[in-house]
Amino acid sequence: MKVLFATPEARPLIKTGGLADVSGALPAALRGIGVDCRLLLPGYHSVLSGAREQREVLRLANLPGYGEVRLLEARLTSDEDVPVYIVDYPYHYQRDGGPYQDASGRDYPDNAWRFGLLSRIAALLASPLSPLDWRPRILHCNDWQTGLAPAYLKFMGGGAASVMTIHNLAYQGVFAPDLVAPLGLPREGFRIEGFEYHGKLSFLKAGLYYADWLTAVSPTYAEEIQREPLGMGLQGLLAHRRESLTGILNGIDMAEWNPSSDLHLSCDYSARAPAGKKRCKQVLQGDLNLEVNEEAPLFGLISRFTPQKGLDWVLQVGDRLIAWGAQLILLGKGDAELEHAARLLAARHPGRAAAIIGYDEGLSHRVEAGADIFLMPSRFEPCGLNQMYSQRYGTVPIVGATGGLKDTVEDGVTGFVMSEPSAPGLWLAIERALAAYADKPAWRHMMQAGMQQDFSWERSARQYAALYEKLAAG
Ligand code: ADP
Ligand code: GLC
C-alpha cells in the first residue's frame, strides 16, 4: 500500500503545533506496519537544511503560474527511514518567518499561491500523469494547506483515492474569488457543490467536498463538527458527508515523550520508579526562579496563545490560584494581548508564577515532567496532545469537556474534566484537583493511572491502514 501524506509541517523539520507531531510520527508508525507512506512537504529553509540525503527527482520546467519547480526526495530524519518529497520553490517557501506568517505574525499575502502549489504537486504525484515511478494508491491530505489537492486531482481525471484529515476547522484558507482561474481551478467548481464558500474560494471546503473520505482527529470532534458551533460554517457539508467521515484518535510518540529516557530532562522516572519526578520539579522551579517548594502544587500550561485554548480563563483565575499557595508556569506565544496578560500575571507574583513567551521544545518537556497539574481548558480541541503527554509524565491534566480531551481523559481517574466552559468552570475543576492533590495516596493513584495509559500510534495507524485498504478496494 503506497500512501502520499501531504502536509504543511512535520516534526522535526518544521512545527507550529500538533499537526507537526502527527505528521512526524504517523507516517513512521504506518511504515512500521507495512504501509509505504511518504511525506510531501514545502521546501522551507528548515526543511532544506534538516532533511537527510536530498536528491532531485523531478524538475517541472514550466508549471503554469509558477515556472520552474523542483521536487527533491530525502529522508525525514537520520534514524528513521521515512522518505519525504520536498517541493523546492525558494520564491514561495524560503522565508525568514514561520511557515504561514512573517516574523511579526501577519499571514503571508501569497499563502493561496504557496499552498496552492503544495496541493497541486500533491495532486500531480497522485495522478496517472505523475512523472515519478512511485505511484501512491492513496493521497492523504491534512488541513486547509493541502485542501485543494483532492479538487485538482478530481479535475485532472482522478488517480489515487483521497483522504482529507481535519486537524482544526478554525483555519479554513479562505481567499478572494479572483484567484480561482489563476490557480488553475475550473470555474465550474466555484459553486456551493464545490470550493465556493460565501462568494470566496475555500481551500478547506475544497478538500471536504472533493476528498473520497474525511477523518477528524478524534471521535468526539468528528461528531461535534457536524453541528454548530464547532462546524464553523461547514457543519452542513460535514453532516451531509457523515457516512464518509470517521474520527481516528491521534497517538503520541512514546519514544520522544518518555520520562525514563527524555534527553531534555536532568532526571528520569517512570510509573514503577516515580521518585525522579520530584527532582524534575525542583530543577524546574530553580530554572524559572520559582520558590523551590515541594509541597506547592505546580500548574503548567504549554500552548499556542489563541482563544481556542482558554488561556484567558487561566489568566482570570491566576491570582486566586497563587493566593491559594500554588505556582503557575505559562509557556507559549501567539496573540499579543494574551502574551501581555500572561507577562503581567507573572510580574505580579515573582517566585510564584512564570510566563515564558516563546517556543521552546526542551522547556516544554521539562514543564511536562516538573509540573504536578497541567492546564488545558480548551474551548474546543480537535484532539490535543499535551493532555496525553501529561498523563505519560504523571502530570494530572485539567481539561475542557470537548473533542479529543473528552476521549482521552477520564474524569476523576486520569484527570479532571471541566463541567462548564468558563472561568468559574475551570476554577471548580482546579478546586477538585487541589483537594485530590492534598490526599497523597489518592494523588499517586491518579498519576499512576495516567502513566499506564497506552497512547501509542500503533492503534491509530492500524485504523488508517484499514481505511486505506477499504478505499483502495473502491
Ligand atoms: P495545537 O496543534 O492546537 O497547537 P496540540 O495539543 O495538538 O495543539 O499540539 C501542540 C504541540 O505544540 C504540542 O506538542 C506542544 O507541546 C507544542 N507546543 C505548543 N506551544 C509550544 C511552545 N510555546 N513551546 C514548545 N512547544 C509548544
Ligand atoms: C490541531 C488541533 C489539535 C490537534 C492537532 C493534531 O492543531 O488544534 O487539537 O491535536 O491539530 O491533530
Side-chain angles (χ1 to χ4, degrees), residues 15 17-18 21 302-304 309 332 358-360 364 384-386 389:
K15 167 168 169 176
D21 292 1
I302 303 163
S303 174
R304 292 182 295 114
K309 302 292 180 175
Y359 182 88
D360 186 334
S364 76
L385 300 171
N386 282 100
Y389 300 151

Side-chain angles (χ1 to χ4, degrees), residues 11 15-22 167-168 171 250 257 302-305 308-309 331-333 356-364 368 376 381-387 389:
R11 238 195 62 82
K15 167 168 169 176
T16 68
L19 173 56
D21 292 1
V22 172
H167 296 264
N168 197 335
Y171 305 97
N250 288 333
W257 292 93
I302 303 163
S303 174
R304 292 182 295 114
F305 285 4
Q308 172 189 347
K309 302 292 180 175
L331 166 61
K333 63 174 194 167
I356 303 89
I357 307 304
Y359 182 88
D360 186 334
E361 188 148 319
L363 183 57
S364 76
E368 284 290 7
M376 206 159 169
E381 197 61 76
C383 179
L385 300 171
N386 282 100
Q387 81 282 10
Y389 300 151

Side-chain angles (χ1 to χ4, degrees), residues 34-299:
V35 176
D36 179 7
C37 183
R38 304 187 180 190
L39 288 162
L40 178 70
L41 273 173
Y44 315 114
H45 271 310
S46 64
V47 169
L48 292 175
S49 60
R52 307 295 159 133
E53 296 165 31
Q54 297 172 28
R55 65 186 177 96
E56 182 180 309
V57 287
L58 184 63
R59 193 182 281 248
L60 299 170
N62 194 8
L63 188 67
Y66 296 96
E68 187 183 87
V69 179
R70 292 199 317 149
L71 189 74
L72 312 177
E73 189 182 335
R75 289 201 298 151
L76 186 61
T77 61
S78 47
D79 43 293
E80 274 166 46
D81 178 34
V82 179
V84 42
Y85 293 108
I86 301 168
V87 183
D88 184 21
Y89 192 74
Y91 176 70
H92 274 337
Y93 299 135
Q94 292 200 33
R95 302 208 170 154
D96 289 337
Y100 321 123
Q101 298 175 329
D102 65 21
S104 61
R106 268 185 306 260
D107 285 352
Y108 295 120
D110 54 356
N111 272 346
W113 285 100
R114 300 175 69 237
F115 296 104
L117 177 59
L118 179 66
S119 299
R120 192 121 157 210
I121 299 293
L124 175 66
L125 300 184
S127 80
L129 305 174
S130 172
L132 292 188
D133 291 337
W134 187 82
R135 198 65 63 72
R137 300 277 300 276
I138 304 289
L139 171 60
H140 190 154
C141 300
N142 295 276
D143 275 358
W144 74 264
Q145 295 90 337
T146 55
L148 285 190
Y152 282 129
L153 187 58
K154 203 59 78 181
F155 291 112
M156 285 165 87
S162 54
V163 178
M164 179 84 217
T165 293
I166 304 162
H167 296 264
N168 197 335
L169 273 184
Y171 305 97
Q172 303 189 353
V174 175
F175 299 99
D178 54 11
L179 282 167
V180 169
L183 284 172
L185 293 164
R187 196 72 209 169
E188 64 192 271
F190 192 70
R191 54 190 172 112
I192 293 192
E193 289 83 24
F195 41 71
E196 185 262 354
Y197 183 67
H198 296 291
K200 295 193 166 160
L201 161 64
S202 168
F203 275 41
L204 183 62
K205 191 181 167 209
L208 300 181
Y209 185 80
Y210 292 103
D212 295 306
W213 200 272
L214 310 178
T215 72
V217 288
S218 70
T220 296
Y221 193 56
E223 289 298 321
E224 289 171 338
I225 58 179
Q226 297 178 38
R227 308 183 293 272
E228 285 188 64
L230 294 190
M232 303 204 174
L234 294 164
Q235 59 276 356
L237 173 56
L238 290 163
H240 180 72
R241 294 216 56 189
R242 65 183 172 276
E243 300 299 328
S244 38
L245 164 62
T246 33
I248 300 181
L249 191 69
N250 288 333
I252 63 172
D253 186 328
M254 299 284 270
E256 158 82 8
W257 292 93
N258 181 354
S260 67
S261 59
D262 188 330
L263 296 176
H264 297 292
L265 308 183
S266 52
C267 39
D268 52 74
Y269 63 95
S270 64
R272 253 192 253 141
K277 186 165 169 71
K278 284 196 184 138
R279 176 79 191 127
C280 290
K281 179 172 175 179
Q282 276 175 358
V283 173
L284 181 66
Q285 286 172 323
D287 285 352
L288 297 180
N289 296 320
L290 299 173
E291 287 161 21
V292 177
N293 176 345
E294 191 187 318
E295 292 306 313
L298 177 55
F299 287 73

Side-chain angles (χ1 to χ4, degrees), residues 297-347:
L298 177 55
F299 287 73
L301 175 147
I302 303 163
S303 174
R304 292 182 295 114
F305 285 4
T306 66
Q308 172 189 347
K309 302 292 180 175
L311 171 61
D312 50 326
W313 296 332
V314 175
L315 294 167
Q316 284 175 51
V317 305
D319 292 319
R320 202 163 159 194
L321 186 64
I322 305 295
W324 195 93
Q327 296 183 352
L328 176 62
I329 298 170
L330 304 173
L331 166 61
K333 63 174 194 167
D335 291 3
E337 269 173 48
L338 290 171
E339 290 183 355
H340 183 62
R343 280 200 183 98
L344 287 181
L345 179 78

